[in-house]
Amino acid sequence: MTTAHDTTPQYPFTAVVGMDDLRLALLLNAVSPAVGGVLVRGEKGTAKSTAVRALSALMPHVDVVGGCRFACAPAAPDPGCPDGPHEPGAVEDRPTRMVELPVGASEDRLVGALDIERALSEGVKAFEPGLLADAHRGILYVDEVNLLHDHLVDLLLDAAAMGASYVEREGVSVRHAARFLLVGTMNPEEGELRPQLLDRFGLTVEVAASREPDQRVAVVRRRLAYDADPAGFAAQWAAEETELRHRIAAARELLPDVTLGDAALRQIAATCAAFEVDGMRADIVMARTATALAAWAGRTAVLEEDVRRAALLALPHRRRRNPFDAPGLDEDKLDQTLEEFGGADEGTDGEDDPDPDGPDGGPDGGGPDGGGAPPQDGGDGGPQESPLTQDPELPHQQERESAEAPERPQEQPAAPEQAGQGTPAAGGEQAAVGATEPFRTRRLDVPGLGEGADGRRSRARTAHGRTTGARRPHGALGKLHLAATVQAAAPHQRARGRHGRGLVVRRDDLREAVREGREGNLVLFVVDASGSMAARKRMSAVKGAVLSLLLDAYQRRDKIGMITFRGTGAELALPPTSSVEAGAARLEQLPTGGRTPLSEGLLRAHEVLRVERMRDASRRPLLVVVTDGRATGGPEPVVRAARAARLLAGEGTASVVVDCETGPVRLGLAGELARDLQGTAVTLDELRADSVSALVRTVQGNRKAA
């Protein structure tokens, strides 16, 4: 947790180079926390965390009730505060806190913990506050929010939406206020958030490192100067920081006077409808964002420019129809919609004309005091280079570049699979073909009971799920098993001198629930890209099947990896990752042709799984081999493939072979491979969840069992 006791000053917000969308989104939430927070998406090393941490120094100080652990406001304390009721007394003035939520935090660390032993024996609600209480009336920062467990994200976003946190343990409940500015950062290469969780963030921005040498030089110079003398560097930017802090305060004061006219509201509604955004949250967020933009620009009326900027910040992450869609917005379509539904609001006069330099403010206006951005001092290498005081055209140019940035990776083929084609193919290589439409697949799971990360695929002992038993707690008590605890304590009541109705409970009596849910697995795809699979229609169907399995892996919270084999060898096209988007991109660019080195693909899978077991022994693997079962190339290819398959089977690797053989005459080689792997073979048709053949097989199996 970052607090006022830290001695090293934060990197100044105004010293951050570029990233206009990110800075604007953070400032709008500082002006109006009701906007709903910011999700920052971008590659590693782009100063996402630096910008977020720098924001805390700009936030106004808050008054809190002295001694209250939940930061109650003296003028309006929370009537349900666990430390209340508060008597008039000492008032503390303190800086706004920024609390950081670690990726590995437990549920108790996030929401707080109840002393169950005292609650059962004394009826006392002894509550230890969590990070949500620490963040009340401050900033809650979640780095790598996409790597948090789903149930933690649910708790976090529910608290952000309701403004309160609820902690319940076996009928004992504690509630406290939890209103904070939520900021999350993530690297999309490490996996995406679920769409319904993306929707809970008010604004989303994409950040990428600048490709301009001058801007990169400025970043390095400023960072080196800060590392050499943090206090001196902060003092150099103190004037800009103070000016920006005053502007935030002025915009906050102006915000209640801003009018959202009917014309602007129609544009907001029409824009959300035009982009087919689900639900109504996007309309509300856009309205709040446009209002905050007007206040930030020092105006009391929302204009079309505010609506347009609000759409660019609030809609890109809400228009994704499936996990493989890249976030973004068609700006031509946006402009057309705004023009079609545009119109002047009643009561707009000349004093509320839009600032020609946009909401970021320029030298000629846009600031709440009419003075615009902080003036430049003309010194060399100092704070005059602040991004908030640049040429007014530069933010718009950078905005256009930022809008184009997310599409850059799709404009050229991904390098790994191109570089990975170093193994020569025996036979002509065919260009990549597109995949058929993905479909809902049958659930493929790992037999037995695991203990891996929470997910939705295979059975496992988890912290959440149905209760199957009780045990003595190992370490801190998790979910209490009340019946087992009472049963353990009951025989000792007379010896413990019990009097009255209370139950005398000791720590040795406590039992925690053993729960069974589902885990996420490592799904390793081994895809045959040889010449025997190269028929365009056939390979298109195969890619569609793998794409469907990737989508299923995303929904079940799996890690995925991909090995492809053709020619004379196999390559790891995608190292194990949580990003199914990366898997889809590799699959799209996959060429075909050459011989079928099946044994090489299986041996490469064995090596990858060996390394992954050392990294994370609790995450069980599921091997999915997509092939027609043929093995060619090299000495005794069929024998070597069988040996490799038995090697994997000997280590207990759960396997599924997706049989891609088509035509009236089938050799059944994929079935033989499945037997060597001690796994299951399914055809492309049987892979579908609504497959008729799979249904027939199930019915026949039930008849035999009867």
Side-chain angles (χ1 to χ4, degrees), residues 15 32 45 102 114 182 219 224-225 234 268 353 372 397 433 518 523 532 577 652 689:
S32 176
L114 283 168
L182 177 63
V219 170
L224 293 177
I268 290 172
D353 285 341
Q397 177 184 353
V433 299
R518 292 198 173 271
V523 182
S532 66
T577 176

Side-chain angles (χ1 to χ4, degrees), residues 350-695:
E351 296 179 358
D352 287 328
D353 285 341
D355 176 13
D357 294 316
D360 282 335
D364 300 325
D369 56 1
Q376 300 184 17
D377 63 13
D380 186 19
Q384 74 278 3
E385 296 179 359
S386 166
L388 300 180
T389 63
Q390 291 173 344
D391 184 343
E393 284 302 316
L394 185 55
H396 298 286
Q397 177 184 353
Q398 292 172 339
E399 176 189 345
R400 290 190 294 270
E401 293 173 353
S402 177
E404 296 172 358
E407 300 180 2
R408 286 173 182 166
Q410 298 180 358
E411 293 174 358
Q412 53 188 355
E417 62 267 23
Q418 296 297 334
Q421 307 304 333
T423 55
E429 178 179 301
Q430 297 191 17
V433 299
T436 58
E437 285 296 318
F439 52 84
R440 189 165 64 90
T441 67
R442 294 168 52 187
R443 186 177 71 212
L444 309 175
D445 54 16
V446 179
L449 192 64
E451 295 184 350
D454 288 349
R456 296 184 177 180
R457 184 171 295 279
S458 305
R459 293 176 54 228
R461 295 187 182 93
T462 60
H464 302 272
R466 63 185 182 91
T467 301
T468 59
R471 66 183 178 188
R472 291 180 182 272
H474 303 294
L477 177 67
K479 179 69 174 178
L480 178 75
H481 195 296
L482 182 58
T485 299
V486 172
Q487 187 177 8
H492 309 290
Q493 296 305 296
R494 180 174 295 181
R496 293 173 182 175
R498 173 189 172 188
H499 298 286
R501 302 174 60 184
L503 187 68
V504 181
V505 180
R506 303 285 169 80
R507 182 159 294 277
D508 288 343
D509 302 325
L510 297 179
R511 299 292 184 271
E512 67 179 4
V514 176
R515 295 185 162 196
E516 182 178 313
R518 292 198 173 271
E519 66 180 359
N521 298 107
L522 167 60
V523 182
L524 181 61
F525 294 93
V526 180
V527 182
D528 186 346
S530 64
S532 66
M533 305 280 288
R536 296 185 65 83
K537 185 176 180 180
R538 184 178 182 186
M539 196 61 199
S540 181
V542 169
K543 285 189 174 183
V546 177
L547 193 65
S548 302
L549 290 167
L550 285 172
L551 180 59
D552 182 69
Y554 165 80
Q555 294 169 340
R556 300 190 187 282
R557 314 292 181 263
D558 295 317
K559 289 182 67 175
I560 60 136
M562 185 180 297
I563 293 171
T564 62
F565 61 92
R566 67 186 187 91
T568 60
E571 65 153 324
L572 181 60
L574 180 69
T577 176
S578 296
S579 176
V580 296
E581 296 84 355
R586 299 295 192 275
L587 183 68
E588 182 181 359
Q589 300 295 331
L590 178 64
T592 57
R595 294 186 180 275
T596 312
L598 177 58
S599 61
E600 299 300 323
L602 297 176
L603 290 173
R604 189 63 185 271
H606 176 267
E607 177 63 20
V608 170
L609 294 179
R610 184 187 66 82
V611 173
E612 288 302 310
R613 285 191 186 97
M614 292 189 292
R615 291 176 176 172
D616 186 358
S618 65
R619 187 179 288 270
R620 297 187 295 164
L622 175 63
L623 183 67
V624 179
V625 185
V626 185
T627 182
D628 57 9
R630 289 182 173 86
T632 61
E636 299 183 320
V638 176
V639 174
R640 294 185 72 244
R643 288 175 181 170
R646 288 193 288 269
L647 177 64
L648 287 162
E651 296 186 346
T653 304
S655 304
V656 175
V657 178
V658 180
D659 185 357
C660 302
E661 192 173 27
T662 58
V665 179
R666 297 172 179 264
L667 302 178
L669 298 177
E672 294 181 11
L673 175 63
R675 285 190 288 275
D676 288 331
L677 286 167
Q678 297 181 14
T680 304
V682 296
T683 65
L684 289 174
D685 180 57
E686 291 171 345
L687 190 61
R688 294 178 178 270
D690 56 354
S691 168
V692 175
S693 59
L695 178 62

Side-chain angles (χ1 to χ4, degrees), residues 49 58 176 207 232 253 293 312 354 404 439 456 536 562 579 679:
S49 300
L58 299 176
H176 64 83
V207 296
E253 292 182 7
L293 280 162
L312 293 174
E404 296 172 358
F439 52 84
R456 296 184 177 180
R536 296 185 65 83
M562 185 180 297
S579 176

